[in-house]
Amino acid sequence: MKKIVDYRKLLGVTDAAELQELKLVYRGLMKAWHPDKFQDSAESKLEAEEKSKTIIEAYHFLVSIAPETRNQSFADYTLTTTTAAIADFEYKSQVLKVSFTDGNTYEYFDVPKAVYVKLVNADSPGRFARRHIYNEYVYRSISRLVATA
């Protein structure tokens, strides 16, 4: 997904980056782009504010999809995907957002449109998702963003 690639490029990390590396890179970039360092002109301060917001957003997003974060919440994820029914789902730009009856919501990235169409047309969307989506695509919880980096 373009968003993931762009955020990794912004922070200068690979897809194998661990939480500790993300944290170090994030802190270094925030030191360099902190708006308080750009007091010489309003324009440069505004640019630094925008850049720091983007860095913060990228960091939080990449932490939410990091393997360590997913491992921390894997038991809850498994419980939700095996016991809760799908309450609703939405597809936009290769991102499938699935809301469950237990209140959890997950985003799945790089889901092809053909897979989404099959989900919509499936006799049992829950069974289809368990077989073809839940363990096949990068996901993150958006109901409870959990990370302890």
Side-chain angles (χ1 to χ4, degrees), residues 79-101:
L79 183 66
T80 294
T81 57
T82 57
T83 61
I86 295 175
D88 193 20
F89 54 87
E90 174 184 330
Y91 183 78
K92 184 177 181 183
S93 303
Q94 291 194 319
V95 176
L96 176 64
K97 183 173 148 184
V98 180
S99 300
F100 293 91
T101 54

PDB file of all heavy atoms in Angstrom, residues 79-101:
ATOM      1  N   LEU A  79      -9.455 -13.971  19.275  1.00  0.00           N
ATOM      2  CA  LEU A  79     -10.754 -14.098  19.930  1.00  0.00           C
ATOM      3  C   LEU A  79     -11.837 -13.382  19.119  1.00  0.00           C
ATOM      4  O   LEU A  79     -12.918 -13.932  18.876  1.00  0.00           O
ATOM      5  CB  LEU A  79     -10.690 -13.555  21.358  1.00  0.00           C
ATOM      6  CG  LEU A  79     -11.962 -13.678  22.184  1.00  0.00           C
ATOM      7  CD1 LEU A  79     -12.270 -15.154  22.454  1.00  0.00           C
ATOM      8  CD2 LEU A  79     -11.821 -12.925  23.493  1.00  0.00           C
ATOM      9  N   THR A  80     -11.548 -12.171  18.699  1.00  0.00           N
ATOM     10  CA  THR A  80     -12.512 -11.398  17.918  1.00  0.00           C
ATOM     11  C   THR A  80     -12.824 -12.073  16.594  1.00  0.00           C
ATOM     12  O   THR A  80     -13.999 -12.242  16.235  1.00  0.00           O
ATOM     13  CB  THR A  80     -11.987  -9.973  17.654  1.00  0.00           C
ATOM     14  OG1 THR A  80     -11.905  -9.278  18.897  1.00  0.00           O
ATOM     15  CG2 THR A  80     -12.899  -9.192  16.720  1.00  0.00           C
ATOM     16  N   THR A  81     -11.795 -12.481  15.853  1.00  0.00           N
ATOM     17  CA  THR A  81     -12.030 -13.028  14.508  1.00  0.00           C
ATOM     18  C   THR A  81     -12.640 -14.427  14.525  1.00  0.00           C
ATOM     19  O   THR A  81     -13.206 -14.858  13.520  1.00  0.00           O
ATOM     20  CB  THR A  81     -10.739 -13.046  13.674  1.00  0.00           C
ATOM     21  OG1 THR A  81      -9.743 -13.808  14.357  1.00  0.00           O
ATOM     22  CG2 THR A  81     -10.260 -11.634  13.407  1.00  0.00           C
ATOM     23  N   THR A  82     -12.536 -15.126  15.646  1.00  0.00           N
ATOM     24  CA  THR A  82     -13.111 -16.477  15.699  1.00  0.00           C
ATOM     25  C   THR A  82     -14.484 -16.518  16.366  1.00  0.00           C
ATOM     26  O   THR A  82     -15.257 -17.434  16.101  1.00  0.00           O
ATOM     27  CB  THR A  82     -12.169 -17.460  16.422  1.00  0.00           C
ATOM     28  OG1 THR A  82     -11.886 -16.966  17.720  1.00  0.00           O
ATOM     29  CG2 THR A  82     -10.895 -17.676  15.643  1.00  0.00           C
ATOM     30  N   THR A  83     -14.792 -15.560  17.234  1.00  0.00           N
ATOM     31  CA  THR A  83     -16.052 -15.636  17.975  1.00  0.00           C
ATOM     32  C   THR A  83     -17.053 -14.537  17.626  1.00  0.00           C
ATOM     33  O   THR A  83     -18.255 -14.749  17.753  1.00  0.00           O
ATOM     34  CB  THR A  83     -15.811 -15.605  19.495  1.00  0.00           C
ATOM     35  OG1 THR A  83     -15.175 -14.374  19.839  1.00  0.00           O
ATOM     36  CG2 THR A  83     -14.951 -16.775  19.934  1.00  0.00           C
ATOM     37  N   ALA A  84     -16.585 -13.376  17.217  1.00  0.00           N
ATOM     38  CA  ALA A  84     -17.498 -12.262  16.930  1.00  0.00           C
ATOM     39  C   ALA A  84     -17.901 -12.271  15.456  1.00  0.00           C
ATOM     40  O   ALA A  84     -17.095 -12.585  14.579  1.00  0.00           O
ATOM     41  CB  ALA A  84     -16.846 -10.931  17.283  1.00  0.00           C
ATOM     42  N   ALA A  85     -19.126 -11.906  15.217  1.00  0.00           N
ATOM     43  CA  ALA A  85     -19.611 -11.810  13.839  1.00  0.00           C
ATOM     44  C   ALA A  85     -19.228 -10.457  13.249  1.00  0.00           C
ATOM     45  O   ALA A  85     -18.940  -9.506  13.977  1.00  0.00           O
ATOM     46  CB  ALA A  85     -21.128 -11.966  13.824  1.00  0.00           C
ATOM     47  N   ILE A  86     -19.235 -10.394  11.938  1.00  0.00           N
ATOM     48  CA  ILE A  86     -18.974  -9.126  11.254  1.00  0.00           C
ATOM     49  C   ILE A  86     -20.226  -8.267  11.362  1.00  0.00           C
ATOM     50  O   ILE A  86     -21.310  -8.678  10.954  1.00  0.00           O
ATOM     51  CB  ILE A  86     -18.608  -9.355   9.784  1.00  0.00           C
ATOM     52  CG1 ILE A  86     -17.277 -10.108   9.671  1.00  0.00           C
ATOM     53  CG2 ILE A  86     -18.537  -8.035   9.039  1.00  0.00           C
ATOM     54  CD1 ILE A  86     -16.902 -10.480   8.252  1.00  0.00           C
ATOM     55  N   ALA A  87     -20.081  -7.080  11.928  1.00  0.00           N
ATOM     56  CA  ALA A  87     -21.206  -6.156  12.034  1.00  0.00           C
ATOM     57  C   ALA A  87     -21.332  -5.319  10.762  1.00  0.00           C
ATOM     58  O   ALA A  87     -22.427  -5.044  10.285  1.00  0.00           O
ATOM     59  CB  ALA A  87     -21.038  -5.244  13.245  1.00  0.00           C
ATOM     60  N   ASP A  88     -20.176  -4.916  10.208  1.00  0.00           N
ATOM     61  CA  ASP A  88     -20.167  -4.078   9.016  1.00  0.00           C
ATOM     62  C   ASP A  88     -18.776  -4.123   8.407  1.00  0.00           C
ATOM     63  O   ASP A  88     -17.800  -4.409   9.098  1.00  0.00           O
ATOM     64  CB  ASP A  88     -20.530  -2.638   9.395  1.00  0.00           C
ATOM     65  CG  ASP A  88     -20.842  -1.765   8.187  1.00  0.00           C
ATOM     66  OD1 ASP A  88     -21.151  -2.313   7.104  1.00  0.00           O
ATOM     67  OD2 ASP A  88     -20.775  -0.528   8.325  1.00  0.00           O
ATOM     68  N   PHE A  89     -18.688  -3.836   7.123  1.00  0.00           N
ATOM     69  CA  PHE A  89     -17.380  -3.696   6.487  1.00  0.00           C
ATOM     70  C   PHE A  89     -17.464  -2.647   5.400  1.00  0.00           C
ATOM     71  O   PHE A  89     -18.534  -2.357   4.873  1.00  0.00           O
ATOM     72  CB  PHE A  89     -16.839  -5.030   5.954  1.00  0.00           C
ATOM     73  CG  PHE A  89     -17.759  -5.774   5.029  1.00  0.00           C
ATOM     74  CD1 PHE A  89     -17.765  -5.515   3.669  1.00  0.00           C
ATOM     75  CD2 PHE A  89     -18.591  -6.757   5.517  1.00  0.00           C
ATOM     76  CE1 PHE A  89     -18.598  -6.206   2.814  1.00  0.00           C
ATOM     77  CE2 PHE A  89     -19.429  -7.464   4.674  1.00  0.00           C
ATOM     78  CZ  PHE A  89     -19.440  -7.184   3.315  1.00  0.00           C
ATOM     79  N   GLU A  90     -16.297  -2.064   5.130  1.00  0.00           N
ATOM     80  CA  GLU A  90     -16.212  -0.956   4.183  1.00  0.00           C
ATOM     81  C   GLU A  90     -14.897  -1.093   3.430  1.00  0.00           C
ATOM     82  O   GLU A  90     -13.882  -1.464   4.010  1.00  0.00           O
ATOM     83  CB  GLU A  90     -16.242   0.341   5.000  1.00  0.00           C
ATOM     84  CG  GLU A  90     -16.042   1.604   4.273  1.00  0.00           C
ATOM     85  CD  GLU A  90     -16.000   2.796   5.236  1.00  0.00           C
ATOM     86  OE1 GLU A  90     -16.644   2.753   6.292  1.00  0.00           O
ATOM     87  OE2 GLU A  90     -15.297   3.748   4.903  1.00  0.00           O
ATOM     88  N   TYR A  91     -14.911  -0.789   2.142  1.00  0.00           N
ATOM     89  CA  TYR A  91     -13.717  -0.948   1.308  1.00  0.00           C
ATOM     90  C   TYR A  91     -13.426   0.356   0.589  1.00  0.00           C
ATOM     91  O   TYR A  91     -14.324   0.944  -0.013  1.00  0.00           O
ATOM     92  CB  TYR A  91     -13.949  -2.068   0.289  1.00  0.00           C
ATOM     93  CG  TYR A  91     -12.760  -2.379  -0.577  1.00  0.00           C
ATOM     94  CD1 TYR A  91     -11.710  -3.137  -0.104  1.00  0.00           C
ATOM     95  CD2 TYR A  91     -12.700  -1.912  -1.891  1.00  0.00           C
ATOM     96  CE1 TYR A  91     -10.626  -3.454  -0.905  1.00  0.00           C
ATOM     97  CE2 TYR A  91     -11.619  -2.213  -2.703  1.00  0.00           C
ATOM     98  CZ  TYR A  91     -10.587  -2.983  -2.210  1.00  0.00           C
ATOM     99  OH  TYR A  91      -9.504  -3.277  -2.999  1.00  0.00           O
ATOM    100  N   LYS A  92     -12.166   0.794   0.670  1.00  0.00           N
ATOM    101  CA  LYS A  92     -11.776   2.024  -0.016  1.00  0.00           C
ATOM    102  C   LYS A  92     -10.272   1.990  -0.254  1.00  0.00           C
ATOM    103  O   LYS A  92      -9.501   1.792   0.687  1.00  0.00           O
ATOM    104  CB  LYS A  92     -12.145   3.235   0.840  1.00  0.00           C
ATOM    105  CG  LYS A  92     -11.878   4.561   0.189  1.00  0.00           C
ATOM    106  CD  LYS A  92     -12.331   5.708   1.070  1.00  0.00           C
ATOM    107  CE  LYS A  92     -12.080   7.036   0.419  1.00  0.00           C
ATOM    108  NZ  LYS A  92     -12.444   8.151   1.274  1.00  0.00           N
ATOM    109  N   SER A  93      -9.860   2.147  -1.487  1.00  0.00           N
ATOM    110  CA  SER A  93      -8.443   2.225  -1.854  1.00  0.00           C
ATOM    111  C   SER A  93      -7.632   1.054  -1.316  1.00  0.00           C
ATOM    112  O   SER A  93      -6.587   1.250  -0.690  1.00  0.00           O
ATOM    113  CB  SER A  93      -7.830   3.539  -1.379  1.00  0.00           C
ATOM    114  OG  SER A  93      -8.525   4.635  -1.905  1.00  0.00           O
ATOM    115  N   GLN A  94      -8.084  -0.137  -1.528  1.00  0.00           N
ATOM    116  CA  GLN A  94      -7.430  -1.379  -1.112  1.00  0.00           C
ATOM    117  C   GLN A  94      -7.303  -1.527   0.403  1.00  0.00           C
ATOM    118  O   GLN A  94      -6.481  -2.278   0.892  1.00  0.00           O
ATOM    119  CB  GLN A  94      -6.062  -1.549  -1.770  1.00  0.00           C
ATOM    120  CG  GLN A  94      -6.154  -1.817  -3.259  1.00  0.00           C
ATOM    121  CD  GLN A  94      -4.851  -2.299  -3.830  1.00  0.00           C
ATOM    122  OE1 GLN A  94      -3.789  -1.809  -3.477  1.00  0.00           O
ATOM    123  NE2 GLN A  94      -4.938  -3.269  -4.731  1.00  0.00           N
ATOM    124  N   VAL A  95      -8.110  -0.798   1.136  1.00  0.00           N
ATOM    125  CA  VAL A  95      -8.158  -0.945   2.593  1.00  0.00           C
ATOM    126  C   VAL A  95      -9.561  -1.426   2.958  1.00  0.00           C
ATOM    127  O   VAL A  95     -10.553  -0.775   2.650  1.00  0.00           O
ATOM    128  CB  VAL A  95      -7.851   0.386   3.315  1.00  0.00           C
ATOM    129  CG1 VAL A  95      -7.999   0.221   4.817  1.00  0.00           C
ATOM    130  CG2 VAL A  95      -6.460   0.885   2.960  1.00  0.00           C
ATOM    131  N   LEU A  96      -9.607  -2.585   3.597  1.00  0.00           N
ATOM    132  CA  LEU A  96     -10.871  -3.160   4.037  1.00  0.00           C
ATOM    133  C   LEU A  96     -10.988  -2.918   5.538  1.00  0.00           C
ATOM    134  O   LEU A  96     -10.125  -3.324   6.308  1.00  0.00           O
ATOM    135  CB  LEU A  96     -10.907  -4.666   3.751  1.00  0.00           C
ATOM    136  CG  LEU A  96     -12.137  -5.417   4.241  1.00  0.00           C
ATOM    137  CD1 LEU A  96     -13.389  -4.926   3.517  1.00  0.00           C
ATOM    138  CD2 LEU A  96     -11.954  -6.908   4.047  1.00  0.00           C
ATOM    139  N   LYS A  97     -12.039  -2.231   5.938  1.00  0.00           N
ATOM    140  CA  LYS A  97     -12.301  -1.932   7.340  1.00  0.00           C
ATOM    141  C   LYS A  97     -13.448  -2.819   7.797  1.00  0.00           C
ATOM    142  O   LYS A  97     -14.534  -2.761   7.224  1.00  0.00           O
ATOM    143  CB  LYS A  97     -12.647  -0.458   7.485  1.00  0.00           C
ATOM    144  CG  LYS A  97     -12.878   0.021   8.874  1.00  0.00           C
ATOM    145  CD  LYS A  97     -13.042   1.534   8.845  1.00  0.00           C
ATOM    146  CE  LYS A  97     -13.961   2.025   9.895  1.00  0.00           C
ATOM    147  NZ  LYS A  97     -14.178   3.465   9.808  1.00  0.00           N
ATOM    148  N   VAL A  98     -13.168  -3.667   8.797  1.00  0.00           N
ATOM    149  CA  VAL A  98     -14.173  -4.612   9.282  1.00  0.00           C
ATOM    150  C   VAL A  98     -14.513  -4.293  10.732  1.00  0.00           C
ATOM    151  O   VAL A  98     -13.636  -4.242  11.588  1.00  0.00           O
ATOM    152  CB  VAL A  98     -13.672  -6.072   9.183  1.00  0.00           C
ATOM    153  CG1 VAL A  98     -14.723  -7.042   9.700  1.00  0.00           C
ATOM    154  CG2 VAL A  98     -13.287  -6.418   7.749  1.00  0.00           C
ATOM    155  N   SER A  99     -15.805  -4.069  10.994  1.00  0.00           N
ATOM    156  CA  SER A  99     -16.293  -3.839  12.352  1.00  0.00           C
ATOM    157  C   SER A  99     -16.965  -5.121  12.828  1.00  0.00           C
ATOM    158  O   SER A  99     -17.736  -5.731  12.093  1.00  0.00           O
ATOM    159  CB  SER A  99     -17.305  -2.697  12.375  1.00  0.00           C
ATOM    160  OG  SER A  99     -16.716  -1.512  11.908  1.00  0.00           O
ATOM    161  N   PHE A 100     -16.659  -5.497  14.069  1.00  0.00           N
ATOM    162  CA  PHE A 100     -17.193  -6.729  14.626  1.00  0.00           C
ATOM    163  C   PHE A 100     -18.246  -6.429  15.691  1.00  0.00           C
ATOM    164  O   PHE A 100     -18.285  -5.332  16.251  1.00  0.00           O
ATOM    165  CB  PHE A 100     -16.060  -7.564  15.248  1.00  0.00           C
ATOM    166  CG  PHE A 100     -15.092  -8.085  14.224  1.00  0.00           C
ATOM    167  CD1 PHE A 100     -13.962  -7.351  13.878  1.00  0.00           C
ATOM    168  CD2 PHE A 100     -15.302  -9.300  13.605  1.00  0.00           C
ATOM    169  CE1 PHE A 100     -13.075  -7.822  12.929  1.00  0.00           C
ATOM    170  CE2 PHE A 100     -14.418  -9.782  12.654  1.00  0.00           C
ATOM    171  CZ  PHE A 100     -13.305  -9.042  12.312  1.00  0.00           C
ATOM    172  N   THR A 101     -19.062  -7.425  16.001  1.00  0.00           N
ATOM    173  CA  THR A 101     -20.138  -7.248  16.969  1.00  0.00           C
ATOM    174  C   THR A 101     -19.629  -7.052  18.393  1.00  0.00           C
ATOM    175  O   THR A 101     -20.378  -6.581  19.243  1.00  0.00           O
ATOM    176  CB  THR A 101     -21.102  -8.452  16.935  1.00  0.00           C
ATOM    177  OG1 THR A 101     -20.345  -9.655  17.120  1.00  0.00           O
ATOM    178  CG2 THR A 101     -21.865  -8.508  15.636  1.00  0.00           C
TER     179      THR A 101
END
